[in-house]
């Protein structure tokens, strides 16, 4: 039995050797086939998100399909150069050869949007085609920088691009700073000029208003003085027992109105303050006229508006048709003497007031006399009455234009300013050599 067992074991061992060899050969064949298949299958392209992630931590990204374009040492030198470009903040992408212009522009814009920082983005293909976009440099500046880097290899071009782009961005910043200072200086000059003009204009206006106020006060003081003189001319003794109570009451009323007018003219600071003065004068002059009528045994006159031509004449007695020079006729209240003059074609006794060193009728004296006239006619329709009587006169245009009894129109019109600007210049520079990028593409969020 032993010889048989020995022969059997030898036989099994001899059969196992060819089987093991066959298994090893099969395994080697599968390995070779897997290698062939692996070489035949292209590497998956980098996505926009992958490129953006890479550029957040590094100024250079070399895509998987362009790894052979720059070795590790060249990549390190490019990154160092781009890190030094702080003004332009350049970020570069190295891509496979044959990529189209539209595809590269789309990729750069999509990457810039995702990264969220970086002022200038440049792409260069493995076959040495370069383009860029920037919100720091203009399109013409990028074109010029790219053109100045032509003729070198990818490493040298990117290093030179970073240096030139940074220098251009720094120059733009200096120019912008100078321009800002110039504009600021110009703005300060303009503001100072405008402020000076406004101050000069305001001072001139204040001087003119002060002069007008002084003349107006002079004219109104004449009315106050005239009323005081007319009251004094009555020579009335209030203690006389023969004086009728009505006359004593009217006389007291006239004196009180005169005192009120004197106090109001002394306190007046602005033309509109004169309205209170002339309102008191109209009241005092009516009661003085009433006293005179009582003393002479005549009926107390109706309380009518003051004589238009000269309020110092007291209450009017009738309306007459009158027209200012070059104007249309209208009815105005007049005292007996002025009514007669108008009816016979003579000139009425107009109230002449001081204006600009001369004297002219109060209705031709300008805006300062609008409150003056308004106070006299306050109780008789005010603006409604005056606007009709003063049509065609200098004062009438002011009442008709919404002047009321005083105040001055004013204001300064400033033409609207148009301000504009752009949101930056996303320029593109192209260096195609003797070739062309060919067709385009759309990155979106897909592969590159």
């Amino acid at each position: 039995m032993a010889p048989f067992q020995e022969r059997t074991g030898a036989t099994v061992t001899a059969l196992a050797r060819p089987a093991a060899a066959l298994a090893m050969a099969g395994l080697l064949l599968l390995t070779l086939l897997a290698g062939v298949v692996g070489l035949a299958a292209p590497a998956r392209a980098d996505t926009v998100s992958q490129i953006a992630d890479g550029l957040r931590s590094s100024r250079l990204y070399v895509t998987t399909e362009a790894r052979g374009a720059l070795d590790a040492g060249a990549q390190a030198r490019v990154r160092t150069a781009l890190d030094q470009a702080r003004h332009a903040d350049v970020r570069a992408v190295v891509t496979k050869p044959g990529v189209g212009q539209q595809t590269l522009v789309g990729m750069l814009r999509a990457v810039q949007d995702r990264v969220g920082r970086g002022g200038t983005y440049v792409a260069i293909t493995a076959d040495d085609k370069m383009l860029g976009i920037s919100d720091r440099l203009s399109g013409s500046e990028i074109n010029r920088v790219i053109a100045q880097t032509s003729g070198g290899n990818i490493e040298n071009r990117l290093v030179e691009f970073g240096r030139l782009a940074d220098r251009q961005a720094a120059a733009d910043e200096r120019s912008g700073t100078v321009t800002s200072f110039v504009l600021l200086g110009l703005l300060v000059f303009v503001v100072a000029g405008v402020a000076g003009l406004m101050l000069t204009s305001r001072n001139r206006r204040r001087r003119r208003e002060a002069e007008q106020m002084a003349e107006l006060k002079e004219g109104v003081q004449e009315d106050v003085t005239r009323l005081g003189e007319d009251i004094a001319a009555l020579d009335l003794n209030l203690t006389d027992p023969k004086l009728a109570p009505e006359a004593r009451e009217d006389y007291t009323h006239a004196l009180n109105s005169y005192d009120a007018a004197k106090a109001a003219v002394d306190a007046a600071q602005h033309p509109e303050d004169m309205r209170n003065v002339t309102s008191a004068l109209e009241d005092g002059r009516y009661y003085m006229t009433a006293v005179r009528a009582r003393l002479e045994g005549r009926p107390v006159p109706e309380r009518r508006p003051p004589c238009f031509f000269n309020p110092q004449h007291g209450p009017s007695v009738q309306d007459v048709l009158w027209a200012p020079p070059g104007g249309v006729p209208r009815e105005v209240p007049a005292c007996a003497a002025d009514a007669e003059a108008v009816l016979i074609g003579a000139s009425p006794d107009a109230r002449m007031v001081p204006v600009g060193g001369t004297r002219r009728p109060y209705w031709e004296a300008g805006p300062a006399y609008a409150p003056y006239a308004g106070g006299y006619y306050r109780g008789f329709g005010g603006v409604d009455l005056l606007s009709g009587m003063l049509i065609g006169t200098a004062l009438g245009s002011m009442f008709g234009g919404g002047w009321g009894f005083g105040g001055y129109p004013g204001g300064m019109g400033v033409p609207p300013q148009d301000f504009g600007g752009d949101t930056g210049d996303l320029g593109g520079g192209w260096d195609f050599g003797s070739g062309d990028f060919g067709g385009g593409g759309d990155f979106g969020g897909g592969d590159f």
Side-chain angles (χ1 to χ4, degrees), residues 50-410:
Q50 289 173 327
I51 298 173
D53 289 342
L55 290 179
R56 288 191 183 96
S57 58
S58 173
R59 301 293 180 91
L60 174 67
Y61 186 91
V62 180
T63 64
T64 303
E65 296 174 303
R67 291 284 169 81
L70 282 177
D71 58 30
Q75 291 184 31
R77 288 188 290 273
V78 170
R79 287 190 176 91
T80 299
L82 296 183
D83 286 340
Q84 295 172 352
R86 301 187 181 279
H87 297 281
D89 193 359
V90 179
R91 296 171 193 256
V93 181
V94 180
T95 75
K96 65 182 180 181
V99 182
Q101 168 184 336
Q102 293 181 0
T103 302
L104 288 179
V105 171
M107 178 269 293
L108 289 180
R109 291 186 185 279
V111 168
Q112 184 185 40
D113 183 62
R114 284 167 172 76
V115 173
R117 56 180 179 270
T120 302
Y121 283 74
V122 61
I124 186 168
T125 65
D127 52 353
D128 204 27
K129 305 297 190 299
M130 180 183 283
L131 63 82
I133 63 173
S134 178
D135 55 11
R136 302 284 178 85
L137 306 177
S138 67
S140 60
E141 289 173 339
I142 291 182
N143 285 336
R144 184 169 60 253
V145 170
I146 290 176
Q148 291 173 343
T149 67
S150 62
N153 57 33
I154 293 177
E155 176 189 346
N156 292 337
R157 294 196 69 184
L158 289 177
V159 169
E160 187 68 2
F161 180 89
R163 186 183 68 83
L164 294 175
D166 194 56
R167 187 171 67 181
Q168 182 64 58
D172 290 348
E173 289 178 7
R174 289 192 297 272
S175 176
T177 301
V178 172
T179 301
S180 297
F181 277 113
V182 171
L183 291 177
L184 180 60
L186 180 61
L187 179 61
V188 170
F189 176 78
V190 170
V191 169
V194 171
L197 289 175
M198 292 178 64
L199 181 61
T200 301
S201 176
R202 184 177 64 181
N203 291 338
R204 187 183 299 115
R205 185 180 68 252
R206 286 180 174 177
R207 287 194 300 270
R208 183 172 63 251
E209 290 176 354
E211 293 170 357
Q212 290 176 343
M213 186 61 188
E215 290 181 333
L216 174 62
K217 205 163 191 177
E218 177 186 349
V220 176
Q221 185 62 58
E222 292 174 358
D223 286 8
V224 174
T225 301
R226 176 71 177 271
L227 176 62
E229 292 172 349
D230 290 347
I231 292 176
L234 293 175
D235 194 21
L236 194 63
N237 183 6
L238 290 177
T239 62
D240 186 353
K242 297 180 181 180
L243 184 65
E246 294 83 0
R248 182 181 291 105
E249 183 179 351
D250 288 347
Y251 186 77
T252 301
H253 199 143
L255 285 175
N256 290 339
S257 296
Y258 168 69
D259 290 339
K262 284 198 305 181
V265 77
D266 290 339
Q269 299 292 326
H270 306 285
E272 53 267 26
D273 297 336
M274 295 305 179
R275 180 172 60 245
N276 295 328
V277 180
T278 53
S279 180
L281 289 175
E282 183 278 326
D283 190 67
R285 190 159 289 281
Y286 169 74
Y287 283 103
M288 187 208 69
T289 304
V291 172
R292 184 181 290 124
R294 294 183 191 279
L295 294 177
E296 295 176 355
R298 294 182 289 106
V300 175
E302 176 189 0
R303 188 160 188 174
R304 285 176 49 87
C307 176
F308 169 79
F309 300 104
N310 190 341
Q312 292 178 355
H313 295 169
S316 61
V317 297
Q318 69 179 90
D319 295 339
V320 294
L321 201 61
W322 170 82
V328 296
R330 79 293 314 274
E331 285 192 341
V332 297
C335 65
D338 287 335
E340 182 180 356
V342 171
L343 291 175
I344 65 175
S347 297
D349 180 21
R351 171 71 172 101
M352 307 295 286
V353 296
V355 180
T358 63
R359 297 184 76 88
R360 64 182 66 180
Y362 75 89
W363 58 81
E364 296 293 347
Y369 278 87
Y372 169 90
Y376 270 122
Y377 295 94
R378 173 190 279 178
F380 305 96
V383 174
D384 293 335
L385 177 66
L386 283 171
S387 60
M389 294 191 302
L390 294 169
I391 293 175
T393 68
L395 207 56
S397 62
M398 296 159 197
F399 280 106
W403 283 69
F405 291 139
Y408 293 48

Side-chain angles (χ1 to χ4, degrees), residues 9-25:
T11 302
V12 172
T13 302
L15 289 175
R17 288 171 181 164
L22 182 60
M24 289 295 294

